[in-house]
Structures are given as structure tokens and as C-alpha cells.
Amino acid sequence: MGICSVFGVTPYAVYRLHQGNWIVGFTDTFLVLGTSFAVFYAWRTGNTVRPGQFLAIIYSLGGFLVTIKLGINGLFWLYCLVLFNFFVVPPLQSLIATVTTLVAVCVYGWMRPQDIFESHYQMMSFVVTYLLASLFAFVFAYRARVQRVQLALLATLDPLTGIGNRRTMDEELDIAIADSQRYGMSFGLLVLDLDHFKSVNDRYGHSVGDQVLVDFVRVIRSASRASDRVFRLGGEEFVLLVPKVDKAGLAGAAQHVQRSVANQLRSPGGPVTVSIGGCVLADHENRDDWLRDADICLYQAKDAGRNCTVIKGLA
């Protein structure tokens, strides 16, 4: 959007400076330079909020100056301003900027008749169309913002259980590894898999199986500390990230979760149990190795008869 503005306004800046229309020409030049700076800042820092707010301010001011200098011909640029503001800054801030510009133009037009509007009727027509354009842009921008938030949630959360998905887990494990390397924090990882869960789906249907998964997450959360993070790895397999824990503490946490599940989790066929494998972060340099070792312990727990816990390095 900013690049388009640079290419769109630059020819007008050159033309008006060539024609000796200094105020409008310098205003256009300032807008081009301000836009270029904002685009460069956003590209270098990755921060698009502050550049957007800066552009909304200078474009609103520039639109006002161009309008009072060019008169009715400058009003057409204000409709572009409406669209621009609602594209680059949050809807409420855009609404404030566009309405403020409208008020400034109308006050100036009222105090200086004939400079902008040829009649009060023309002013009212502009006000109505400008507000309608602002309203439509606001509704569109607001809906787009809500949809972006919803998409972000869908990209990071498991839709069934509401906990973090594989993507979120990868990010959290990377953060844990970075914290361990920088601050010496200890972390443990548990991989949990419901025993014979496929038979629940096959015998009672996926709706019952889904409810068991939802209840399973509820039990894990109630049996874990507030600082522990649970993620859905896929199917009936989950991961629990446990900070500030050693091997013995991780084993104790796993056994507590295992007992809680056995005592509280039910399906129409009776109690549902869980097998758990885990390991502490220790010397693991990346999340894949860490997760692989915990997964190996999980399969050892299943081979040992299920409904048990195996922690790497702990007899």
C-alpha cells in the first residue's frame, strides 16, 4: 500500500512543483518522503503499527492541506485517504483520523465560503458521501481484523480441545531451549498417549471419542501446575511441557497425571488410561531430538503393558 502511494503521488509532486504550486508540491513531496521512510522502517524492523500510524497522521494532514489549496478538486483525494487509513491502522484509529480530517475540512469550508465548497448543499453532499465511504471501510476493516484474529487462533490452537497445536508446541519448545541455554532453566517433556483409544472410536463413534479427548485435557490441566503447558501432538497423543523440574520431579508429575487419568477419565466402556514417556531437556540441542527421546520412552511404556510411565535416565 505504501509503495503504491509513492508511485501514485510522485508524478503529482513533480508536476505541481514544475507548475509553481509550491504548497501542494511540497506537501506531495513530504508525503512521498514520509511514505518511503515508513516503508523502509517497517521493512527493517518488521513493525508495521507505528509506520501505519505515522502515515495516517501525515496523510490526513496532507489531505487537508491539499484540499484547502486545490478546493473541490482536492476533495477527491480524501476518498483515497479513507481507504488508505483503514488499510494501514486499526479501525478505531482510522475512524478518528478520517473524521478529524472531515471536521477540519468542513470547518475551514464553513469559515471560508467558496474556497472549497460552492454551496452548503455541496458541503452536505460531500459529508454524507465521505461518511458513507468511511462507514463501509470501517465495517470491512473491522471484519477483516476479526477474521485475522480467528485465523491466527485456528493456526495455533487445536479446534477440538482448545489447547496449543503442533505449531504452537514447536514454538514453545524452541523458547524453552533458548531459556535453558541463556538462563540455565530446567525443563521436562512428557508425551502422553491414551491406551486403546482406537477401540473407543470404533465401538462408540468419534463423537464419544472427541468427548473423551476433551475430558482428558481437562484432567491433565487439573493435575498440572499453572506453569505447565499442554499441546495436542495429533490424534490421541499429547505433550506436556514442564518447567523447573529434574528427572525425579518429572517422574512424579507424570505419575500424578497417570493416576488422575485412571481415576477420573471415563468412556462408555469404562476407565481410560494413559501411557507416558518423558525426559528432561539436559543436553538436547534441538526440539526434534528432545521430542524423539520422550517418544521412545512412551513406546517403552506401552511395551511394558501400558498405563505406566517411563522417564529417560531414571530406573
Side-chain angles (χ1 to χ4, degrees), residues 20-34:
N21 193 344
W22 302 113
I23 294 179
V24 178
F26 281 126
T27 299
D28 289 342
T29 302
F30 175 71
L31 294 179
V32 170
L33 294 177

Side-chain angles (χ1 to χ4, degrees), residues 219-246:
V219 173
I220 293 177
R221 281 177 162 168
S222 65
S224 304
R225 301 174 302 177
S227 58
D228 299 343
R229 296 291 307 277
V230 59
F231 312 96
R232 187 177 183 186
L233 191 57
E236 67 273 19
E237 197 168 7
F238 295 78
V239 168
L240 186 65
L241 177 63
V242 186
K244 298 181 180 180
V245 69
D246 56 14

Side-chain angles (χ1 to χ4, degrees), residues 108-151:
Y108 183 91
W110 187 277
M111 296 176 62
R112 302 288 296 271
Q114 304 300 317
D115 279 11
I116 300 179
F117 304 102
E118 296 179 358
S119 65
H120 293 319
Y121 176 78
Q122 190 180 70
M123 180 189 292
M124 289 306 301
S125 297
F126 169 72
V127 169
V128 171
T129 56
Y130 184 90
L131 288 177
L132 283 175
S134 300
L135 176 63
F136 293 147
F138 174 81
V139 171
F140 176 82
Y142 179 79
R143 290 188 60 185
R145 190 176 183 85
V146 170
Q147 289 172 348
R148 284 197 299 270
V149 172
Q150 292 174 339
L151 288 174

Side-chain angles (χ1 to χ4, degrees), residues 29-291:
T29 302
F30 175 71
L31 294 179
V32 170
L33 294 177
T35 302
S36 300
F37 169 77
V39 170
F40 178 76
Y41 179 87
W43 175 69
R44 287 296 301 271
T45 65
N47 183 351
T48 59
V49 176
R50 290 184 178 179
Q53 294 170 338
F54 169 74
L55 289 179
I57 293 173
I58 67 170
Y59 272 46
S60 298
L61 178 60
F64 172 74
L65 293 176
V66 169
T67 299
I68 65 176
K69 193 62 181 176
L70 297 182
I72 193 170
N73 291 325
L75 293 177
F76 298 110
W77 287 100
L78 295 184
Y79 293 103
C80 296
L81 172 67
V82 170
L83 296 177
F84 181 85
N85 282 348
F86 282 101
F87 267 106
V88 299
V89 292
L92 181 58
Q93 296 178 17
S94 303
L95 193 62
I96 293 173
T98 52
V99 171
T100 300
T101 304
L102 174 64
V103 171
V105 168
C106 290
V107 169
Y108 183 91
W110 187 277
M111 296 176 62
R112 302 288 296 271
Q114 304 300 317
D115 279 11
I116 300 179
F117 304 102
E118 296 179 358
S119 65
H120 293 319
Y121 176 78
Q122 190 180 70
M123 180 189 292
M124 289 306 301
S125 297
F126 169 72
V127 169
V128 171
T129 56
Y130 184 90
L131 288 177
L132 283 175
S134 300
L135 176 63
F136 293 147
F138 174 81
V139 171
F140 176 82
Y142 179 79
R143 290 188 60 185
R145 190 176 183 85
V146 170
Q147 289 172 348
R148 284 197 299 270
V149 172
Q150 292 174 339
L151 288 174
L153 290 176
L154 290 175
T156 58
L157 297 181
D158 173 55
L160 175 64
T161 61
I163 60 176
N165 59 14
R166 176 65 184 262
R167 177 179 178 180
T168 306
M169 182 199 72
D170 288 345
E171 294 176 354
E172 291 288 339
L173 294 188
D174 286 341
I175 292 173
I177 292 172
D179 287 344
S180 176
Q181 293 172 346
R182 177 173 296 182
Y183 305 113
M185 295 180 61
S186 58
F187 291 89
L189 191 67
L190 298 177
V191 180
L192 309 93
D193 191 275
L194 290 174
D195 298 327
H196 306 297
F197 181 75
K198 185 177 183 301
S199 64
V200 175
N201 278 332
D202 292 342
R203 295 178 61 183
Y204 305 106
H206 287 281
S207 61
V208 172
D210 288 346
Q211 186 58 52
V212 170
L213 294 177
V214 172
D215 293 340
F216 176 60
V217 170
R218 175 183 52 79
V219 173
I220 293 177
R221 281 177 162 168
S222 65
S224 304
R225 301 174 302 177
S227 58
D228 299 343
R229 296 291 307 277
V230 59
F231 312 96
R232 187 177 183 186
L233 191 57
E236 67 273 19
E237 197 168 7
F238 295 78
V239 168
L240 186 65
L241 177 63
V242 186
K244 298 181 180 180
V245 69
D246 56 14
K247 292 180 182 178
L250 185 63
Q255 291 164 3
H256 178 60
V257 170
Q258 178 195 330
R259 289 193 298 266
S260 297
V261 170
N263 293 332
Q264 301 177 35
L265 190 60
R266 296 288 185 274
S267 75
V272 179
T273 60
V274 63
S275 298
I276 303 176
C279 62
V280 294
L281 178 55
D283 297 326
H284 295 94
E285 296 183 355
N286 59 70
R287 67 168 182 267
D288 292 331
D289 291 344
W290 191 16
L291 188 61

